[in-house]
Amino acid sequence: MSPLTGVLSEAWDLYRRFASHFLLIAFVIYVITALLVALLSLAGVVGAILGAILSFAATYVVQASLIKAVQDVRDGHVDLDLSETVRAAGPYILPVIGAAILATIGIAIGFFLLIVPGLILLTYWCLIVPFIVVAGAGVFESFGNSMQTVRGYAWRVFGTIVLVFLILIAFAIVLGFVLIVLPLWLRSFVNDVVTGTLVAPFLALVATLIYYRLTAAHAGQPYVPTGPAGAPVWEPPYPAAARGPADVPGPPPAGPPPPGAAALRPPAAGPAAPGPAAPGPAQPDPAPGPAEPGPAGPRPATPPDSGPGTPPPPGTP
């Protein structure tokens, strides 16, 4: 079974369970951005340019914050509120913007070249933002990590992206009919806020769940969908390109050293204090030979020889 089977249903389930949390994050950021852009538009051309830059940056603030929120709720409950979520996503906003600019340029060039290269890049680079926000990867590292993770599942990922865009097109058509009664200027404002608030959380959910499912598949780990509050979930190792056990120095192996290892040790500095001998290979005892002449050790005392000149002990008849 493909690791992406059921990803849209899981995304929708999480969307419904934590809708108030996700929608609050997106709504607050989009409303503040829209008000600032409206004020900047009063400053003429310069204000309009600044407003466009602000809107562009706000899009990725929402993305980074929502992906951090999805990471937070995977254990079944919300641990970070709105301000904490935005602060947690803050360090990743500039890398996300830089990566998004590079990806947009590359995908636009790909679409210019007969469309197909652009679709290929869109598929292989769809996990750039989750790798930056969740795994802490760098801008250029995220491109390589995304391509390696999608490799082997590209058609499944592409099919998921197509389904998501079809859902978004249907939603935009329905919303357009609902807002057609509003004046044009108000319709544009409401459409931007409502579309961004309702759609951005679902896009963040799909991208983040694809990231978790594919990293689990590449690691050979079973993917556990988000369950009740407190349910255990698997997290990929961070950073993504973590060193394996063979790359990490560890303690020397236990046991006696191999023969000849003592000869390779550097001499100790200064006279060593006497102590127990270090464990090592047993050396063969020398073969016994003839005793060398020399002073013998103490022998047990023997009674004196009673010779002609030796007086007998007292009491002897």
Side-chain angles (χ1 to χ4, degrees):
M1 184 175 64
S2 170
L4 296 184
T5 301
V7 64
L8 294 183
S9 60
E10 184 186 3
W12 177 244
D13 178 64
L14 289 176
Y15 187 95
R16 291 186 296 107
R17 287 174 58 186
F18 302 102
S20 59
H21 183 55
F22 293 144
L23 297 180
L24 178 64
I25 293 173
F27 178 76
V28 169
I29 296 176
Y30 272 117
V31 167
I32 293 175
T33 303
L35 292 176
L36 291 176
V37 170
L39 292 176
L40 288 173
S41 64
L42 301 177
V45 177
V46 176
I49 295 175
L50 293 177
I53 296 174
L54 180 62
S55 297
F56 177 80
T59 301
Y60 298 101
V61 173
V62 172
Q63 278 193 18
S65 301
L66 288 173
I67 288 177
K68 183 60 70 174
V70 176
Q71 181 188 16
D72 172 42
V73 303
R74 286 194 70 239
D75 60 354
H77 57 81
V78 177
D79 299 311
L80 304 177
D81 59 17
L82 170 62
S83 60
E84 291 172 337
T85 301
V86 176
R87 283 199 301 269
Y92 307 105
I93 291 174
L94 288 181
V96 165
I97 293 175
I101 293 174
L102 294 177
T104 302
I105 294 173
I107 293 172
I109 294 175
F111 275 114
F112 181 75
L113 300 174
L114 302 177
I115 299 178
V116 175
L119 294 176
I120 294 174
L121 293 179
L122 179 65
T123 301
Y124 278 96
W125 289 350
C126 68
L127 302 181
I128 290 174
V129 178
F131 264 107
I132 293 176
V133 177
V134 179
V139 173
F140 297 103
E141 182 185 7
S142 64
F143 284 84
N145 290 345
S146 180
M147 294 190 70
Q148 291 176 3
T149 305
V150 173
R151 185 175 291 119
Y153 305 96
W155 281 110
R156 296 281 184 176
V157 174
F158 178 71
T160 303
I161 293 174
V162 170
L163 287 176
V164 170
F165 274 103
L166 291 177
I167 294 172
L168 296 183
I169 290 173
F171 174 79
I173 293 174
V174 173
L175 184 63
F177 280 113
V178 172
L179 300 179
I180 198 170
V181 297
L182 298 178
L184 181 59
W185 65 272
L186 183 58
R187 185 192 317 166
S188 176
F189 174 81
V190 173
N191 182 73
D192 290 343
V193 173
V194 172
T195 302
T197 301
L198 297 180
V199 170
F202 187 73
L203 294 178
L205 278 164
V206 172
T208 309
L209 293 179
I210 291 175
Y211 162 80
Y212 277 114
R213 286 170 173 257
L214 293 188
T215 50
H218 282 287
Q221 298 290 334
Y223 175 77
V224 180
T226 303
V233 291
W234 179 83
E235 291 285 343
Y238 304 123
R243 294 189 301 174
D247 300 325
V248 180
L264 299 178
R265 296 177 182 169
Q283 299 295 332
D285 295 331
E292 298 181 1
R299 296 181 180 179
T302 56
D305 187 14
S306 52
T310 304
T316 303

